[in-house]
Amino acid sequence: MTTSKTNPREPHAQPYYITDPTPLPSHIPSVPEIGATSAPLLSASYFIGARCAPYNEDFMLCRSQGRTGETDCLKEGRRVTRCAISVLEDINKNCQAEFRKHWGCLENENHDLSRCRLDEAPLNACVAKFLNLTKVIPNSDGTPINDYETPSFFQKKVKAKYEQ
Amino acid sequence: MHMFGVAGTGMSAAKLLREGGNKPRVHRDAWDKMMMERDMRLTKEYRKQSDEPIAPEDFKTSSVWRASRIWDD
């Protein structure tokens, strides 16, 4: 019969934590991990999706084929990581001020994208200008977000500022 | 009357100090909890963010898995 400290008459699962400091074996190519935390990653997510769509879809396809183990799909995963790192490096090089303003706003607003549109518009414009990456909503008709046909007054102002 | 304002200011200042000057995270689901745990592993501080492209080397082996002990008597 199982016992526990809290109630000696009923079974009780006590969680404990497992850590594993051994590194990956040397036959697996090592790749740097993404160092961005949640808010910058959310801010850059649409641009990562725009540039890394083939690699991300490869990885998801590999997972959907039933290869869900820890050592499956490592090659596709390495490609996903490298591509995302490249997007983050380019954003930091070209648009760091707008990027930091946007993810700073997100971190303050519970990661709600709809509350940070004012800081998102300059970031979209800057990334479109320097990186040629446009934010596109998946499963929509595909119009890039920072290039509406009839832009609002605010969007026209932002666009004019970045096309001087 | 003024003491209520002082107490309220002090409470909100203490909360902001913990959250790094931001409003608190609310309605956290499993995804948010997982991402906040990952943030803690990366930056070692509560709700501190970093936009480095590449993580420090100790991040690769700092994962934590939760398990439950199976009593075997």
Side-chain angles (χ1 to χ4, degrees):
Chain A
M1 180 178 156
T2 54
T3 59
S4 75
K5 279 185 205 168
T6 51
N7 185 348
R9 282 180 289 179
E10 281 184 11
H12 182 73
Q14 286 191 339
Y16 70 109
Y17 300 101
I18 302 174
T19 55
D20 193 0
T22 47
L24 278 177
S26 52
H27 69 266
I28 296 177
S30 98
V31 78
E33 292 289 335
I34 299 178
T37 49
S38 45
L41 216 50
L42 176 62
S43 179
S45 57
Y46 285 100
F47 307 120
I48 295 175
R51 184 186 281 187
C52 308
Y55 309 112
N56 296 349
E57 284 170 6
D58 265 351
F59 181 79
M60 290 193 280
L61 204 69
C62 173
R63 278 282 192 239
S64 71
Q65 286 163 356
R67 305 168 56 192
T68 50
E70 273 188 10
T71 49
D72 297 326
C73 308
L74 283 177
K75 181 165 95 165
E76 288 83 357
R78 284 195 289 275
R79 289 179 181 160
V80 165
T81 312
R82 276 187 223 126
C83 184
I85 285 178
S86 80
V87 174
L88 283 168
E89 281 173 344
D90 290 343
I91 292 181
N92 273 334
K93 199 164 63 174
N94 295 313
C95 300
Q96 193 177 60
E98 290 90 352
F99 186 43
R100 288 193 168 166
K101 205 141 186 284
H102 185 230
W103 67 250
C105 170
L106 280 179
E107 184 61 18
N108 196 28
E109 299 284 354
N110 200 36
H111 288 210
D112 193 353
L113 283 167
S114 67
R115 301 190 71 96
C116 292
R117 296 294 184 206
L118 283 177
D119 293 322
E120 186 186 325
L123 176 64
N124 288 355
C126 177
V127 171
K129 182 180 179 202
F130 288 103
L131 274 66
N132 289 323
L133 295 172
T134 49
K135 168 179 166 171
V136 172
I137 308 287
N139 300 328
S140 72
D141 59 351
T143 38
I145 293 297
N146 47 304
D147 196 20
Y148 290 127
E149 275 182 14
T150 53
S152 71
F153 175 71
F154 176 76
Q155 281 158 348
K156 276 189 223 161
K157 236 173 40 164
V158 167
K159 208 172 167 188
K161 182 185 175 198
Y162 279 94
E163 285 170 355
Q164 273 166 8
Chain B
M1 281 306 287
H2 295 291
M3 288 307 291
F4 289 114
V6 169
T9 312
M11 283 293 289
S12 54
K15 280 184 218 165
L16 284 177
L17 229 101
R18 167 138 216 259
E19 312 279 346
N22 292 315
K23 294 189 272 196
R25 295 291 304 272
V26 292
H27 296 133
R28 277 177 268 189
D29 56 2
W31 173 266
D32 292 323
K33 286 179 190 160
M34 181 271 288
M35 287 305 278
M36 290 180 81
E37 191 255 342
R38 178 180 177 271
D39 294 355
M40 187 68 117
R41 277 195 292 133
L42 267 173
T43 57
K44 318 279 191 290
E45 269 179 46
Y46 180 64
R47 285 195 77 185
K48 180 162 181 243
Q49 304 284 312
S50 101
D51 53 8
E52 308 281 323
I54 295 176
E57 268 305 305
D58 62 353
F59 179 68
K60 289 184 181 177
T61 48
S62 68
S63 303
V64 176
W65 291 267
R66 261 191 268 175
S68 26
R69 191 160 281 155
I70 299 175
W71 300 97
D72 202 16
D73 52 349

